[in-house]
Amino acid sequence: MTAWRRLHGGVRTTRGLLSSRWATDQHTWLCGHLTLCQSLSTSSLLRNDFYKDLEAQLAAMRKKAADALPGSSWTPLEINPNLPPERADVVIVGGGVMGWSVAYWLKQRERVREGVKVVVVEKDLTYSQASTVLSAGGIRQQFSLPENIHLSLSSAEFMRNINEHLGVLNEDPVDLQFNHSGYLFLASEDVAHIMEENYNTQRYAGAKVSLLSPAQLKEKYPCVNTDGVALASYGLENEGWFDPWTLLNAFRRKAMSMGVIQCCGEVTDFKYTVNKVPTADGDHLDCRRIKSVKQVQMPNSREYQPVECAVVVNAAGAFSAKLTEKLGIGSGPKGSIAEFPLPVEPRKRYVYVVHCPDGPGLDCPFLIDYSGVYLRREGLGGNYITGASPEEAEEPDTSNLEVDHQFFEDKVWPRLAHRVPVFEKLKLTSAWAGFYDYNSLDQNGIIGVHPLISNMYFATGFSGHGLQQSPAVGRAVAELILDGDFKTLNLHGLGFRRILAQEPMLERNIV
Amino acid sequence: MFSAQFSLSIPSQSLHTCCQRSALLLVARGLGSSSSVSPLPLHRRFLLFLNQRFYDVEMLLSWRAHMKSRAIEKKNAYYGYTRKHYGPYIASAYYILNMKGGFRFAGQTDWFRANQRGKFSWDFLNHRDAVLEEVDMSYTVINYTGLDNLAGQKSLRTLSLRGCSQVDDWFLARLHMFQDSLEELDISHCPRITTGGLAALRNLKGLRRLDVSSLPRISSPGLVIILLEEMLPQCQITATGYDHSLRQDSEEEKVDFMQGQQ
Ligand SMILES: Cc1cc2nc3c(=O)[nH]c(=O)nc-3n(C[C@H](O)[C@H](O)[C@H](O)COP(=O)(O)OP(=O)(O)OC[C@H]3O[C@@H](n4cnc5c(N)ncnc54)[C@H](O)[C@@H]3O)c2cc1C
């Protein structure tokens, strides 16, 4: 009865508190309609508190009741909670934002409760090297490929309604800390025409973007030096930056509340069969089918456990090519499809945090200069983050995540100070590095099934824009798995065909 | 309702001990021989019942929240039919009155308003070509989708969104649609607005007056208001309802912080 008594207590205290709370709330919210709303809002206040209490109490009671029932997972024997199940419908390799987004959407779209058994395997639960948490957290619609624009638009819509998607009963609502400041791209004379074409594509796709002449740019952003700028484009809506951790955790929390199993371990191998499939020209293809994710290796122990599964999702980010290697992709005979490895590799990118008290403050857009340097505000205390991509020939070593400070001195700061002169005086306060899941063919995501692995689905290779596209990509992959085709957005263009044909789907960049 | 169920099923036992006991029972059985199939004892049946029932209660609660947001969506639905037949100004006016808001046409002094019970006069239908100049949506449930109904108001000068429970950062980011005309904006007492949304007001360069009083989710209001003033130099910013001492604190904090950095 204790629980019930507590419930009663809750109601009584709410009543007791009511008079004082009422006065303050009245003051703030209801100034206009004093007399009319009085009785109404009293009861609604009471009701709200009552429901909150009730919800919490019910959750606790239900948990206890469920624990005590036969068939619950509660056992008196201590077992390794990270041990994966022996069988699952879908095993997702990689618990970054992509992996958890796919897991959430699989659960969201399953037709019967507990219809799909989903396991997410992540090797590092601290996410010390995952791109997701090391990214700059930006979202934009200023792309040139319609696929990318649509992916970002629908992800923005997802984030706008994030609590309808990822809210969990009895838990705090998700607060992405979304900062609504648009991207400001600057184009030089040579590339201004590309910017204009991109602008038209973006408007056509429904993105709210505006073009600015150098004079307008000067007027709107006085801090920007317009030397060499021929045209600028600025995103009015659905652009800005947010906290990647929050998004990752929100996906994970929701997916787990829907029954997705998380396990900690590294996928090191697969057990698969090979079928010879004849082709039209008399040849044959070696088609692989994964039977089980062979070794899920526990950290700090020598336990191994194979997980039998019907479908594997490769969401291992920068290291997804390692998984396909295990299936013989990239080591096939010359001239065969298996000759080409998955074109995704880690590429190290530095992010520098600088302090500049005279910086543009709240007015700071996500600036992208045609020299490749970017800049955005970080918090409200006069901090900014900046960086640039290195030249192809000067790609840094990817064996570690050490930061090259010389790169800031030589390549970033001079260009930044040229573009926004207040940054001539700044202090480098910290820096970090992360891996792009870099698609060396065309720097765009790969979504779909590999032609030689009939049950491995890919969501990888997003290079610099995977975080922002993750909500929409997760849905697309779930549609592929459960419905057999894309339902919401047509993303065939981002599939494997272009990779096999070696026809890159390049963004028409102005940088 | 719940109390009745409780007292009927286990009049003298607390739920807690009841759970514990059955758990113990389970353990004992699990460790011993496999149990024979016998009708479940009363308390086990009760627990089963609770488990099933509380899922329903949870469902009910989420369903309740769902219905509430459905109702708000419905109120904010796009007035496409009115727009097609009566033009954008009448459609907007009709939407505003339905939401219990008020407005003033350009060149007139009288306001059109719905009364407390949501009743309003239909006189506004006589002003087909009049444009909206001032709109007061304070304490209404206007939301992001509802803003579609105000799109195309090229002469909107004043907009009050005081105390709107559904106005959030995404809403503010959409106000750029009035960037050429809007001069006065009141977003005070909006419970959802955060600093991340205020940054979007930079698109409203014509703003002369802005009220950001009593926004509960702004964490360091002093600093934010200074930054807002820097961002909108021609705009007069009203910000009351914040603890003044707090404001000074954060100003000092900013200074301290900067000194610390240097
Ligand atoms: C500096 C930087 C800035 C960026 N800025 C932006 C930006 O502004 N906007 C944007 O949208 N994107 C940005 N990105 C890109 C974005 O971060 C990535 O595209 C995105 O996070 C990819 O998500 P993911 O889940 O695929 O990869 P990850 O987050 O890397 O997750 C992959 C996970 O898989 C795990 N894993 C790998 N192999 C195995 C295995 N064999 N077994 C088990 N687990 C395994 C890893 O531990 C990792 O946690 C940026 C990236 C970097 C590096």
Side-chain angles (χ1 to χ4, degrees):
Chain A
M1 217 63 175
T2 30
W4 173 234
R5 235 179 270 132
R6 248 184 285 148
L7 200 77
H8 251 323
V11 179
R12 236 180 283 126
T13 38
T14 349
R15 280 221 182 97
L17 282 174
L18 208 68
S19 47
S20 56
R21 288 199 49 168
W22 159 239
T24 46
D25 279 350
Q26 167 84 44
H27 177 68
T28 37
W29 303 116
L30 294 164
C31 306
H33 319 269
L34 264 175
T35 43
L36 194 95
C37 299
Q38 193 150 0
S39 59
L40 262 177
S41 63
T42 320
S43 63
S44 93
L45 247 180
L46 170 64
R47 231 187 304 135
N48 276 346
D49 269 24
F50 175 76
Y51 271 115
K52 263 201 200 114
D53 256 29
L54 187 66
E55 276 167 32
Q57 297 288 343
L58 289 184
M61 276 198 266
R62 201 168 63 76
K63 192 167 173 301
K64 273 184 202 152
D67 275 352
L69 272 175
S72 88
S73 60
W74 188 89
T75 71
L77 301 167
E78 194 61 44
I79 52 162
N80 187 345
N82 287 327
L83 209 61
E86 283 172 22
R87 222 163 270 120
D89 296 315
V90 183
V91 172
I92 298 173
V93 187
V97 72
M98 280 299 165
W100 280 110
S101 171
V102 173
Y104 159 73
W105 281 107
L106 281 171
K107 278 297 180 185
Q108 166 72 30
R109 295 182 66 85
E110 68 186 358
R111 298 214 170 74
V112 253
R113 216 186 164 87
E114 303 297 336
V116 192
K117 187 163 178 184
V118 183
V119 174
V120 174
V121 187
E122 167 58 51
K123 66 176 174 195
D124 174 17
L125 289 179
T126 61
Y127 293 100
S128 56
Q129 304 221 331
S131 319
T132 302
V133 295
L134 296 172
S135 76
I139 174 166
R140 60 174 157 135
Q141 279 80 49
Q142 298 184 56
F143 292 99
S144 68
L145 291 176
E147 281 89 349
N148 280 334
I149 303 172
H150 285 297
L151 278 173
S152 275
L153 270 175
S154 62
S155 294
E157 191 185 322
F158 179 91
M159 290 181 207
R160 180 159 62 77
N161 299 315
I162 192 152
N163 277 302
E164 273 159 44
H165 295 283
L166 302 185
V168 179
L169 203 67
N170 298 323
E171 306 247 356
D172 293 335
V174 184
D175 177 10
L176 277 184
Q177 294 158 41
F178 198 105
N179 195 91
H180 295 263
S181 302
Y183 273 67
L184 179 65
F185 280 83
L186 307 180
S188 62
E189 189 76 52
D190 310 337
V191 288
H193 65 284
I194 301 182
M195 177 177 271
E196 217 172 317
E197 277 165 37
N198 290 355
Y199 166 80
N200 288 330
T201 320
Q202 290 151 11
R203 293 296 291 204
Y204 183 73
K208 303 279 186 292
V209 184
S210 61
L211 282 185
L212 304 174
S213 69
Q216 284 168 318
L217 176 67
K218 190 85 226 163
E219 190 201 323
K220 291 208 168 183
Y221 292 95
C223 64
V224 174
N225 171 13
T226 53
D227 280 0
V229 177
L231 195 63
S233 77
Y234 173 66
L236 291 163
E237 233 179 86
N238 295 329
E239 294 198 329
W241 56 88
F242 56 92
D243 181 29
W245 252 118
T246 314
L247 183 65
L248 173 64
N249 271 326
F251 268 126
R252 183 162 65 157
R253 185 182 75 169
K254 182 70 180 184
M256 284 174 71
S257 84
M258 294 167 98
V260 175
I261 301 161
Q262 161 177 270
C263 42
C264 179
E266 183 170 355
V267 174
T268 50
D269 212 345
F270 301 95
K271 195 162 142 193
Y272 61 94
T273 55
V274 181
N275 289 332
K276 295 216 181 302
V277 182
T279 57
D281 48 359
D283 230 355
H284 67 263
L285 286 177
D286 288 340
C287 252
R288 295 145 178 85
R289 184 166 186 89
I290 300 171
K291 292 288 173 201
S292 67
V293 174
K294 206 167 157 195
Q295 287 171 354
V296 178
Q297 191 178 13
M298 296 305 133
N300 314 325
S301 88
R302 304 180 59 104
E303 276 178 89
Y304 295 95
Q305 164 108 28
V307 183
E308 275 177 47
C309 59
V311 169
V312 175
V313 176
N314 186 341
F319 298 97
S320 38
K322 270 201 183 156
L323 293 177
T324 49
E325 252 170 46
K326 301 278 187 266
L327 295 157
I329 305 297
S331 55
K334 267 224 162 332
S336 70
I337 299 181
E339 184 200 340
F340 299 108
L342 184 74
V344 178
E345 57 189 51
R347 294 236 175 148
K348 192 154 76 170
R349 293 291 177 267
Y350 310 116
V351 181
Y352 303 95
V353 186
V354 299
H355 183 72
C356 177
D358 302 326
L362 206 54
D363 207 5
C364 187
F366 202 132
L367 180 75
I368 305 210
D369 186 29
Y370 57 81
S371 67
V373 168
Y374 68 85
L375 169 81
R376 78 155 167 85
R377 178 168 58 77
E378 172 71 17
L380 298 172
N383 287 327
Y384 299 83
I385 66 176
T386 179
S389 290
E391 312 270 324
E392 183 82 31
E394 295 169 3
E395 281 290 348
D397 162 40
T398 54
S399 59
N400 57 45
L401 280 176
E402 272 160 29
V403 178
D404 178 2
H405 288 275
Q406 202 55 42
F407 184 74
F408 176 76
E409 300 283 337
D410 296 344
K411 305 281 154 117
V412 182
W413 194 5
R415 294 175 191 168
L416 176 66
H418 173 250
R419 191 47 68 209
V420 192
V422 287
F423 283 93
E424 272 159 15
K425 247 177 52 195
L426 58 73
K427 189 166 175 261
L428 185 63
T429 51
S430 68
W432 76 82
F435 294 125
Y436 266 18
D437 42 343
Y438 191 86
N439 175 348
S440 52
L441 180 71
D442 59 14
Q443 294 86 57
N444 277 310
I446 303 173
I447 304 170
V449 195
H450 194 284
L452 292 185
I453 318 168
S454 60
N455 58 348
M456 182 182 262
Y457 290 73
F458 288 77
T460 186
F462 291 89
S463 312
H465 46 263
L467 176 71
Q468 60 187 289
Q469 299 187 336
S470 59
V473 170
R475 184 180 56 197
V477 174
E479 285 169 359
L480 270 188
I481 294 174
L482 298 177
D483 304 295
D485 203 355
F486 297 119
K487 295 283 165 193
T488 332
L489 294 174
N490 180 356
L491 300 175
H492 288 291
L494 294 175
F496 268 96
R497 183 173 300 161
R498 71 187 207 272
I499 309 244
L500 298 184
Q502 296 287 305
E503 286 171 3
M505 284 256 294
L506 288 166
E507 271 286 322
R508 298 200 62 196
N509 278 334
I510 45 122
V511 177
Chain B
M1 177 178 101
F2 299 116
S3 74
Q5 284 170 2
F6 272 89
S7 50
L8 270 181
S9 326
I10 28 165
S12 60
Q13 229 170 1
S14 83
L15 182 65
H16 191 69
T17 44
C18 178
C19 286
Q20 267 180 343
R21 267 214 208 161
S22 62
L24 282 176
L25 242 155
L26 252 171
V27 176
R29 270 208 201 150
L31 294 175
S33 65
S34 59
S35 59
S36 58
V37 187
S38 57
L40 289 167
L42 180 68
H43 67 274
R44 288 271 289 278
R45 260 185 298 162
F46 170 66
L47 284 174
L48 195 62
F49 167 80
L50 272 191
N51 191 32
Q52 289 163 344
R53 206 35 50 113
F54 284 135
Y55 234 95
D56 295 352
V57 175
E58 215 167 80
M59 276 292 289
L60 249 156
L61 289 172
S62 48
W63 186 72
R64 184 173 147 269
H66 179 70
M67 288 315 276
K68 221 164 129 188
S69 69
R70 273 268 301 273
I72 290 173
E73 279 308 319
K74 211 170 146 198
K75 280 189 190 158
N76 280 295
Y78 188 57
Y79 283 34
Y81 180 83
T82 325
R83 200 162 262 250
K84 203 165 121 209
H85 291 269
Y86 296 88
Y89 301 116
I90 296 293
S92 296
Y94 186 41
Y95 165 74
I96 294 165
L97 291 175
N98 263 340
M99 297 292 278
K100 299 187 193 160
F103 63 86
R104 188 176 64 73
F105 283 123
Q108 298 187 0
T109 49
D110 293 343
W111 279 72
F112 289 86
R113 265 187 195 288
N115 69 11
Q116 292 283 14
R117 285 147 102 213
K119 293 264 185 298
F120 50 84
S121 91
W122 294 87
D123 293 346
F124 69 95
L125 285 177
N126 304 330
H127 304 271
R128 270 207 182 199
D129 300 321
V131 295
L132 297 181
E133 196 170 78
E134 283 190 63
V135 171
D136 176 10
M137 296 301 283
S138 50
Y139 300 101
T140 62
V141 291
I142 184 172
N143 70 3
Y144 183 88
T145 27
L147 203 50
D148 278 338
N149 287 314
L150 297 183
Q153 303 302 332
K154 291 277 171 246
S155 328
L156 187 67
R157 277 203 347 204
T158 306
L159 179 62
S160 171
L161 299 165
R162 190 185 176 85
C164 288
S165 58
Q166 306 297 316
V167 166
D168 56 9
D169 295 341
W170 296 85
F171 187 102
L172 295 190
R174 261 196 111 189
L175 287 178
H176 70 84
M177 60 165 74
F178 305 123
Q179 61 181 340
D180 299 324
S181 62
L182 201 65
E183 291 175 6
E184 272 179 51
L185 179 65
D186 182 354
I187 48 172
S188 57
H189 299 273
C190 288
R192 293 195 181 190
I193 289 177
T194 71
T195 316
L198 294 179
L201 296 180
R202 71 149 334 272
N203 293 328
L204 302 171
K205 277 290 178 197
L207 221 51
R208 294 284 164 270
R209 214 166 279 150
L210 173 66
D211 192 340
V212 287
S213 305
S214 301
L215 298 178
R217 285 188 61 193
I218 303 283
S219 42
S220 42
L223 177 55
V224 169
I225 286 149
I226 294 171
L227 290 171
L228 264 182
E229 280 165 356
E230 270 174 24
M231 182 173 88
L232 299 165
Q234 295 96 331
C235 182
Q236 186 194 333
I237 294 172
T238 315
T240 55
Y242 297 109
D243 195 348
H244 193 64
S245 58
L246 214 115
R247 184 178 163 157
Q248 265 182 345
D249 262 10
S250 52
E251 263 170 61
E252 273 160 23
E253 236 167 57
K254 187 188 176 192
V255 174
D256 279 355
F257 182 70
M258 284 175 177
Q259 278 165 353
Q261 296 286 345
Q262 277 156 6

